[in-house]
Amino acid sequence: GSGLAAEEELGSRSGPPWLLASAAGAALAAALGANASLGGRHQTPAIALAEPKAPKGAESKASKAATTAAAPSAAAPSAQAAANDAAVDASKFDAARWAETLSRIKSGIVSLKLNSTRAFDTHQAGAGQATGFVVDAQRGLILTNRHVVTEGPVVAEAHFDNREEVALRAIYRDPVHDFGVFQFDPSALKHLPSVAELQLRPDKAVQGLDVRVIGNNAGEKLSVLGAMLARLDREAPFYGRRTYNDFNTFYFQAASATSGGSSGSPVVDPDGDVIALNAAGKAGTSASFYLPLDRVKRAVDLLREGKEVSRGTLQTTFEFTTFADLRRLGLTEPEATAARAGGEDVGMLVVKTLVPKGPASGRLEPGDILLSIAGQRVTRFVPLEALLDNSVGEEVELVVERGGKCLQHKCRIQDLHSITPNEYLECGNAIFNNLSYQQARTNNLPVEGVGVYVAAQGYLLRRAGVSAGSLITEVGGKRTRNVREMEAALASHPDGASVPVRFTSLANPAHRSVAMIRIDRTWFPMQLTTRDVPKPGVWTSRASPPPPSPTDFAADIAAGSIGGKTRSARGSNTVEEKLVRSLVKVAVSVPLAIDGMPGVEFSGTGMVVDTQRGLVICDRNTAPGALCDCLLTFGSSCTVPAHCVYVHPLHNLSVLQYDPRLVEGTLVEPVKLKRCSAHDLRGRKLWHVTSVGSMRHGCKLISEKGVAIESEANVAPLSNPPRWQETNIDLLAFRGGATMSHSQDGLVANDDGEVVAYYASFLTQTVRDGRLQDGQYFAGITADTIEDMLEALRKGTLPVQYALGAEMEKLGLAAVRGMLMDAAMTEEVEAKCEHWPPQVMSVRRRWAGTGAHSSLRDNDIILEINGGRIETFRDVESAAAAGPEADLLVVRGGKKLELKVKMSPLVDSVTDRVLLWSGAVLQAQPAAVAAQRGQAPRGVYVSSRFHGSPAARYNLPPMSRIIEVDGEEVFDLDAFMKAVIAKKDGADVRLKLLDLRGAPSMACLRVDNQYWPAAEVRRVAGPRLPEGLEPHHWRRSPVASPTEKQEQQG
């Protein structure tokens, strides 16, 4: 197979259990072996020798003994030598014939490079490779498998024998059988003198025929695998319930050991005629399965003539059954005799399954033996399909035998293309299409009217927990029988509205579920895409109707979708009673993976700090950035949307804001903060208060008491991908008593209910089993850091404007004595230390591009900043925040130095702009790259990429930085946009990259403006709605080239 979704992986290539020792067998094996020089390799033919062939005029002891035992004649050795001579001559002739055939047809066999741009029906987005071959050179028709052409949109190229490349358009994919047709422009081939046109000859397929499978096996261009047709009547392979399966056809079987990349390869006879189409193989064996060409040839002939390929169906699956089994089903002897008289000597067709509400539903039943259709006796698949395809829309008479009784039924032949999905709807990056005949047949469901199939979960359904493979039956109380109804139902709700959806799973259609989705038209466009418009093989998108204006808060609250009144839990002690109305559960969803985020769905506990402004504090492991959607749950049932207004650039704190009007009538109270440091709290008994549970199942309040101790951040050496991690902070932890503090965030309070710290979840990475894995730990951020941040935010200024620009670590004096400081200096420092145990602050890492990077050195010890003594992380932060430059007293190499160091200016540490280009998510270089990898900001950072995009297909690596586009240097997003905006669809772009070590590399990418148009997601000032309170909101807008802008204006 091709390695695509519909294939079974091939494993062992052991030979068959049966052997043949003869001169003919020796000749055949030699011929197959000789073909290894043709570019392929022989993998255990369907015939194997019982023993190695002896040299001419010689024989092994074993064969000599066997010959003597069988016939002790003096003529036996000469007879064996003659047989060997004949075998060698036959093998030479056979090899020469195959070599001539291959040289004649190889120009018509192509390697296919594919990219499925969207998930559709049973096929997922992604890149792959396969094989095809030219069946009409004049019209540019290439035959391959259906699972290569795919049901959905695909971008493909064909690579010919001379390495020349042409673009392809998928003009036909069969609704049932595993074949499809691409088309290329013959004039696009500039350097290939002629293209071989392979002939389809289904009539030449006979059991025992020596064949070759020629294609892109295992990704190797033009490999040749030999085999012998062993079976012509194998049942169609079954790949699984959630994927494509062929039916109502026989398959051929041979031991050719085909593997990934060989899907669509021609199976040719010695004359170079194609007798079958390679489709799949059985895992763990050398068995390969080929599709017969009877119906394939008909379709190709019609396409050559420019006609439509009619396909008829009864929505019924038949299976071929032998006469022995037919008797048990009730086949009468007269009917068996009539079938044999008509030339059938093996069996007949029996109804296996029927799709509910299909044309034959209620008329036929499983186990019915098919006798005739429209007066013609039918015992095999080919005549069955010929009758159906030629009778689309007509009413025909079916005669079956059921339990020995002859029954007649009238059925109308349905157009198979009419129940094949040809459009998909995108909303919130989720993808929906009509239920296909393939899925309906496998899951015993009617094709029409049961719901819309979820091909990809996307952002919209991920947040609601609705998985791919589900059927959406209702949206907001409206039936969704097809994608057009789905589009209308979704479009009737404003952006951001909460809407209930009803759905079921294909795996268990009897179970009905309901979930709440939030309509998203901010992060991703909503559009409907249709196939074969305006011409076959072309997919055209149009924007969905615009959403209605948002309703007022009162209507939303009355509907129960947001806000409203609620109750809070009863506290089991006075501390819980004081804090219960200040705790909220926070759920955060991230639409685009940026800044090295470890995931896309986060949850945690927040604390209300300002009810007038609606401010809530949580950690950055819950709200990692401003590009997100937030939901806050107060009490037991009041859920309101929120947005991230501030992310602390240095510490594990994020500030969310909700609209206080949404919780009117609900008793929400801000916490009372008590300013203190970790050093002040050590040894004290404090309360750890948290809310345990989830928004789906409810939460309960838990509090425990423990002894506070000082702690430090668990800093990973080098996070991968580079992401923010906590450094340079004095933390609070618990020792004994508060067992939940090891696994839950929350608040830290004294006996009076005053909050002295926010107990946060910190993201870190650890090495497990030799691999770097994400993890977390919990510690308290004391109220002094929180108060400093809130005071500045209330004044409308940034809390932290300057930082030292270096990562520090505390070192005990014993560790530095004699290494970084001499004895006298150590004793001097120890005498001035106010904290115990005495420690000094040492430079661990410097941020690239800062004053600290140029002025300081790793392992420098900082004793003073602006004359103030430095002993804690808090001392460093406070001193550095004073201004743009500071005087430092450091110890370097055992000597004291006075240095003037420029402080690093800080802005709100939020990525406020993202560019989507060719499926890559691009942003400014995150600060973590400079802080952890020592790489100064340069170029544009590749944060992530979408499946099925050019960025994924051409392997544009995440965590790299684009510094040049076609030789033009780019410094930032604006420069990058200027360099790529004029690139036309299909243009090739050269990108010079730098990795995290600063090592350069080159990548080439082909632009796809049809499926992956450029867009910008930017945070803009002001609320999203006129009555909103948020200081900014996010907006997605397309990025048009100057030419496109002129066309739009015109």
Side-chain angles (χ1 to χ4, degrees):
S2 70
L4 301 178
E7 296 299 338
E8 298 183 28
E9 182 183 0
L10 284 141
S12 170
R13 296 175 176 176
S14 59
W18 54 279
L19 304 172
L20 179 64
S22 66
L28 178 61
L32 295 176
N35 276 285
S37 62
L38 300 179
R41 57 185 180 184
H42 177 61
Q43 296 288 350
T44 310
I47 294 180
L49 294 176
E51 59 177 305
K53 182 171 65 70
K56 185 176 180 179
E59 55 186 332
S60 65
K61 293 181 179 180
S63 62
K64 193 171 185 179
T67 302
T68 303
S73 169
S78 60
Q80 181 64 47
N84 289 339
D85 289 341
V88 171
D89 293 339
S91 66
K92 289 180 179 179
F93 170 79
D94 216 17
R97 184 181 182 188
W98 277 113
E100 185 276 330
T101 297
L102 179 61
S103 65
R104 176 166 43 86
I105 67 174
K106 67 177 183 178
S107 64
I109 301 173
V110 297
S111 172
L112 302 177
K113 305 297 181 183
L114 316 153
N115 193 39
S116 298
T117 61
R118 296 291 189 276
F120 188 87
D121 196 25
T122 61
H123 200 87
Q124 296 303 305
Q129 59 183 1
T131 305
F133 55 97
V134 177
V135 292
D136 191 320
Q138 184 178 355
R139 294 171 180 82
L141 301 184
I142 292 177
L143 180 64
T144 186
N145 287 131
R146 175 192 191 269
H147 70 261
V148 174
V149 175
T150 76
E151 312 93 291
V154 62
V155 176
E157 295 94 31
H159 295 252
F160 284 79
D161 183 57
N162 66 340
R163 303 299 197 270
E164 200 167 351
E165 175 186 305
V166 295
L168 301 177
R169 180 164 54 93
I171 63 169
Y172 183 76
R173 66 271 290 162
D174 195 79
V176 171
H177 300 316
D178 198 4
F179 75 94
V181 178
F182 282 117
Q183 187 174 35
F184 68 94
D185 181 2
S187 64
L189 283 173
K190 305 297 184 183
H191 308 289
L192 193 63
S194 62
V195 176
E197 187 176 292
L198 279 67
Q199 301 300 312
L200 304 182
R201 293 294 303 274
D203 57 302
K204 297 180 70 175
V206 293
Q207 192 172 20
L209 178 66
D210 185 21
V211 297
R212 297 291 185 272
V213 181
I214 307 172
N216 195 30
N217 192 67
E220 298 294 335
K221 182 172 169 51
L222 202 62
S223 61
V224 181
L225 300 175
M228 176 183 288
L229 288 185
R231 289 185 62 184
L232 305 182
D233 59 352
R234 188 198 189 278
E235 63 182 12
F238 180 74
Y239 304 114
R241 296 183 63 84
R242 287 284 302 277
T243 188
Y244 161 79
N245 291 287
D246 205 341
F247 58 96
N248 285 354
T249 182
F250 286 129
Y251 265 65
F252 300 163
Q253 180 177 329
S256 57
T258 52
S259 62
S262 64
S263 284
S265 296
V267 182
V268 301
D269 69 358
D271 297 326
D273 293 330
V274 184
I275 57 95
L277 182 67
N278 182 59
K282 188 172 183 179
T285 74
S286 61
S288 299
F289 308 130
Y290 312 144
L291 176 69
L293 298 180
D294 303 88
R295 306 311 295 163
V296 177
K297 187 177 187 305
R298 168 186 178 267
V300 170
D301 289 343
L302 288 172
L303 291 173
R304 280 174 168 167
E305 298 171 7
K307 298 179 180 179
E308 292 186 1
V309 182
S310 61
R311 295 286 276 115
T313 181
L314 293 170
Q315 293 192 31
T316 303
T317 303
F318 293 90
E319 63 180 343
F320 187 77
T321 306
T322 62
F323 282 117
D325 290 329
L326 290 172
R327 293 191 193 96
R328 286 185 278 273
L329 287 173
L331 179 66
T332 60
E333 192 59 35
E335 292 297 341
T337 302
R340 288 191 174 94
E344 180 57 62
D345 57 356
V346 179
M348 300 170 68
L349 296 178
V350 174
V351 175
K352 183 178 182 180
T353 61
L354 298 103
V355 174
K357 299 183 180 180
S361 179
R363 297 172 175 84
L364 302 183
E365 292 183 3
D368 285 354
I369 302 169
L370 181 63
L371 301 180
S372 67
I373 298 179
Q376 298 185 37
R377 181 167 294 277
V378 177
T379 60
R380 294 270 174 155
F381 290 118
V382 172
L384 168 67
E385 294 227 319
L387 283 168
L388 295 178
D389 293 345
N390 294 330
S391 306
V392 175
E394 300 178 8
E395 190 175 65
V396 299
E397 183 181 68
L398 276 70
V399 181
V400 298
E401 209 170 55
R402 182 185 303 164
K405 296 181 179 180
C406 184
L407 303 175
Q408 297 178 353
H409 298 286
K410 295 278 189 179
C411 292
R412 188 169 299 278
I413 307 301
Q414 188 176 19
D415 183 0
L416 189 52
H417 295 300
S418 70
I419 55 173
T420 301
N422 67 337
E423 57 187 5
Y424 62 89
L425 174 68
E426 294 177 277
C427 181
N429 203 35
I431 299 177
F432 309 93
N433 60 257
N434 294 329
L435 184 66
S436 67
Y437 177 34
Q438 286 280 339
Q439 294 279 37
R441 185 186 74 92
T442 305
N443 295 281
N444 193 37
L445 291 171
V447 177
E448 298 173 302
V450 294
V452 174
Y453 181 74
V454 179
Q457 183 185 44
Y459 181 62
L460 178 75
L461 300 183
R462 187 190 74 212
R463 301 166 65 194
V466 181
S467 62
S470 300
L471 282 177
I472 307 295
T473 58
E474 283 186 15
V475 173
K478 297 180 180 180
R479 289 282 303 276
T480 54
R481 290 164 291 195
N482 53 59
V483 292
R484 299 292 176 127
E485 292 185 353
M486 182 80 175
E487 181 184 39
L490 290 172
S492 66
H493 298 280
D495 186 27
S498 295
V499 181
V501 298
R502 296 188 178 276
F503 64 97
T504 186
S505 171
L506 283 181
N508 185 16
H511 178 67
R512 307 285 174 169
S513 302
V514 63
M516 187 72 78
I517 65 171
R518 292 185 65 82
I519 303 297
D520 166 53
R521 301 183 73 168
T522 298
W523 309 112
F524 301 97
M526 181 174 170
Q527 60 187 17
L528 183 73
T529 304
T530 306
R531 188 182 68 208
D532 298 338
V533 176
K535 58 182 179 180
V538 176
W539 293 77
T540 304
S541 299
R542 64 150 176 83
S544 296
S549 300
T551 56
D552 57 20
F553 291 137
D556 289 336
I557 293 174
S561 59
I562 60 171
K565 298 180 181 180
T566 187
R567 292 192 310 162
S568 297
R570 296 179 180 178
S572 60
N573 53 57
T574 56
V575 174
E576 287 186 4
E577 291 175 354
K578 290 182 178 180
L579 297 177
V580 64
R581 286 176 288 277
S582 304
L583 286 170
V584 297
K585 293 302 291 185
V586 182
V588 174
S589 298
V590 177
L592 300 170
I594 61 172
D595 294 330
M597 293 179 183
V600 289
E601 298 291 331
F602 305 88
S603 62
T605 304
M607 67 176 183
V608 180
V609 293
D610 191 322
T611 53
Q612 291 184 340
R613 295 177 177 84
L615 299 182
V616 171
I617 285 180
C618 66
D619 54 59
R620 291 184 60 161
N621 200 21
T622 301
L627 194 145
C628 64
D629 287 314
C630 308
L631 289 176
L632 306 179
T633 300
F634 296 85
S636 60
S637 63
C638 179
T639 299
V640 301
H643 49 274
C644 184
V645 295
Y646 181 73
V647 176
H648 201 292
L650 298 177
H651 300 311
N652 191 22
L653 292 170
S654 292
V655 181
L656 310 180
Q657 186 179 35
Y658 64 92
D659 193 325
R661 293 173 293 179
L662 297 176
V663 294
E664 289 180 358
T666 297
L667 296 178
V668 180
E669 298 177 357
V671 298
K672 183 180 180 181
L673 292 170
K674 181 177 177 60
R675 180 181 285 271
C676 53
S677 66
H679 185 74
D680 298 334
L681 296 172
R682 61 179 182 172
R684 294 182 56 184
K685 288 188 175 181
L686 300 171
W687 289 91
H688 174 244
V689 184
T690 186
S691 179
V692 179
S694 65
M695 288 192 294
R696 182 174 180 85
H697 301 290
C699 302
K700 59 182 179 180
L701 202 62
I702 293 179
S703 62
E704 296 176 314
K705 206 169 188 179
V707 178
I709 59 173
E710 287 186 87
S711 179
E712 293 184 22
N714 182 7
V715 181
L718 285 176
S719 62
N720 189 32
R723 60 169 67 115
W724 175 89
Q725 60 178 347
E726 184 64 88
T727 59
N728 298 352
I729 191 171
D730 302 296
L731 297 173
L732 186 74
F734 282 98
R735 180 186 61 208
T739 57
M740 294 291 291
S741 65
H742 299 295
S743 59
Q744 291 290 334
D745 53 9
L747 312 181
V748 180
N750 58 23
D751 291 334
D752 297 326
E754 298 172 316
V755 174
V756 297
Y758 172 70
Y759 211 72
S761 167
F762 292 80
L763 180 66
T764 188
Q765 288 185 319
T766 56
V767 178
R768 297 176 188 171
D769 300 325
R771 298 181 62 185
L772 197 63
Q773 299 184 16
D774 291 330
Q776 61 182 356
Y777 64 95
F778 296 85
I781 302 174
T782 51
D784 51 357
T785 301
I786 298 173
E787 282 280 25
D788 290 347
M789 178 181 68
L790 290 176
E791 288 176 4
L793 287 177
R794 291 185 180 116
K795 296 176 182 177
T797 62
L798 292 177
V800 182
Q801 299 186 35
Y802 294 97
L804 177 61
E807 182 182 319
M808 309 297 295
E809 64 177 329
K810 292 180 180 179
L811 296 177
L813 295 184
V816 300
R817 185 166 188 159
M819 182 173 61
L820 300 178
M821 297 192 303
D822 57 23
M825 191 178 296
T826 303
E827 293 170 1
E828 177 188 348
V829 170
E830 184 176 6
K832 294 180 180 180
C833 284
E834 297 178 1
H835 297 283
W836 190 265
Q839 294 174 314
V840 293
M841 302 300 296
S842 175
V843 176
R844 183 182 185 186
R845 270 196 296 245
R846 295 160 294 147
W847 304 352
T850 64
H853 190 269
S854 57
S855 300
L856 298 177
R857 299 291 180 269
D858 292 347
N859 303 314
D860 279 357
I861 295 175
I862 301 178
L863 299 179
E864 296 179 2
I865 298 180
N866 292 332
R869 191 79 192 147
I870 300 298
E871 292 187 46
T872 65
F873 294 118
R874 179 75 175 167
D875 294 339
V876 176
E877 182 177 326
S878 300
E885 193 173 63
D887 296 320
L888 272 65
L889 178 62
V890 304
V891 176
R892 181 185 299 165
K895 298 179 180 179
K896 292 182 180 180
L897 299 175
E898 292 184 356
L899 303 173
K900 276 195 176 294
V901 180
K902 290 183 178 180
M903 298 295 100
S904 176
L906 295 176
V907 295
D908 184 9
S909 74
V910 169
T911 298
D912 59 3
R913 185 184 180 195
V914 172
L915 181 64
L916 306 177
W917 178 75
S918 292
V921 181
L922 308 176
Q923 64 173 104
Q925 177 177 304
V929 176
Q932 300 168 17
R933 305 300 177 115
Q935 298 294 317
R938 186 181 178 189
V940 174
Y941 186 75
V942 182
S943 190
S944 56
R945 62 195 187 191
F946 287 93
H947 293 297
S949 69
R953 179 184 181 186
Y954 296 102
N955 196 28
L956 180 63
M959 299 185 288
S960 63
R961 292 164 291 160
I962 302 173
I963 61 171
E964 286 184 10
V965 175
D966 287 337
E968 179 181 347
E969 189 168 5
V970 293
F971 300 94
D972 52 24
L973 287 173
D974 287 327
F976 180 83
M977 287 177 59
K978 183 179 178 182
V980 302
I981 195 61
K983 302 295 182 182
K984 295 182 179 180
D985 187 47
D988 293 319
V989 181
R990 289 181 296 110
L991 304 174
K992 186 175 182 180
L993 312 173
L994 293 179
D995 66 11
L996 295 177
R997 302 165 299 166
S1001 63
M1002 185 69 69
C1004 294
L1005 182 148
R1006 179 163 295 172
V1007 176
D1008 182 355
N1009 291 330
Q1010 178 183 0
Y1011 298 108
W1012 303 98
E1016 183 183 46
V1017 181
R1018 182 192 286 267
R1019 191 171 69 159
V1020 296
R1024 185 173 64 92
L1025 303 176
E1027 66 271 20
L1029 301 179
E1030 65 266 33
H1032 49 252
H1033 67 283
W1034 289 88
R1035 180 184 299 161
R1036 175 178 173 139
S1037 56
V1039 178
S1041 66
T1043 303
E1044 291 173 331
K1045 290 181 180 179
Q1046 292 176 3
E1047 292 175 353
Q1048 292 170 3
Q1049 293 171 357

